[in-house]
């Protein structure tokens, strides 16, 4: 779901002329895909079958940058919860290999949530819902340079 979310919002941003935001979102979509394959590779390395299922459609386009990054934050927070469930399950099952493997994702989610919160803070500073044109231009340029 997360690769689709970032990809879809990236297409939305590019279409409304925010190429820097789009660049960040597209790059992040690729990063999310590597998280997906990391899990698949781990399952395969354990000698288990990894079943690939359909990915749900992304939500509707947001109505602005605030809604875009709020939605991303909520999806990341949900992802953090799902990861916590797997960690809890691994603990209860005494599956220490999986417990250890999952710690990478626990740390990654802290980074991901911080990254989105920092973007939301920058948006607030630039003027919240009504970002003035010039500030929006600078914000977009900065987003283009931000490491996904
Ligand atoms: Fe993420
Ligand atoms: Fe990341």
């Amino acid at each position: 779901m997360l690769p689709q979310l970032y990809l879809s919002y990236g297409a939305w941003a590019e279409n409304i002329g925010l190429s820097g935001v789009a660049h960040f979102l597209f790059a992040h979509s690729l990063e999310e895909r590597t998280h997906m394959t990391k899990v698949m590779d781990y399952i395969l390395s354990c000698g288990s079958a990894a079943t690939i299922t359909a990915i749900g459609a992304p939500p509707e386009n947001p109505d602005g940058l605030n809604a875009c990054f709020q939605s991303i934050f909520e999806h990341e927070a949900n992802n953090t919860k799902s990861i916590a469930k797997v960690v809890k399950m691994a603990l209860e099952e005494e599956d220490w290999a999986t417990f250890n493997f999952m710690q990478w994702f626990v740390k990654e989610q802290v980074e991901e949530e911080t990254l989105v919160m920092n973007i939301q803070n920058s948006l607030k500073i630039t003027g919240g819902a009504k970002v003035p044109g010039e500030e929006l231009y600078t914000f977009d340029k900065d987003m283009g340079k931000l490491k996904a």
Side-chain angles (χ1 to χ4, degrees), residues 25-131:
L25 294 171
F26 286 145
H28 207 90
S29 172
L30 288 177
E31 190 194 299
E32 294 292 344
R33 194 179 187 282
T34 65
H35 297 170
M36 187 170 76
T37 51
K38 205 176 172 77
V39 173
M40 183 190 73
D41 289 344
Y42 174 71
I43 294 169
L44 292 173
S45 75
C46 295
S48 303
T51 309
I52 309 301
T53 59
I55 302 174
E60 303 262 296
N61 283 341
D63 64 6
L65 283 172
N66 286 292
C68 170
F69 287 101
Q70 183 56 32
S71 165
I72 287 175
F73 182 79
E74 284 163 16
H75 280 85
E76 287 291 354
N78 275 336
N79 200 30
T80 302
K81 275 190 202 150
S82 303
I83 286 163
K85 268 189 211 160
V86 179
V87 172
K88 188 169 180 272
M89 222 187 289
L91 182 75
E92 284 163 3
E93 300 268 329
E94 299 188 15
D95 177 355
W96 307 122
T98 302
F99 183 82
N100 181 53
F101 169 74
M102 289 305 294
Q103 298 311 306
W104 185 90
F105 288 92
V106 171
K107 188 168 166 277
E108 174 65 15
Q109 282 311 111
V110 175
E111 278 174 26
E112 301 271 272
E113 288 189 21
T114 304
L115 178 66
V116 185
M117 280 191 286
N118 287 344
I119 295 170
Q120 288 184 300
N121 285 338
S122 302
L123 262 178
K124 253 182 235 157
I125 292 164
T126 50
K130 299 183 192 81
V131 184

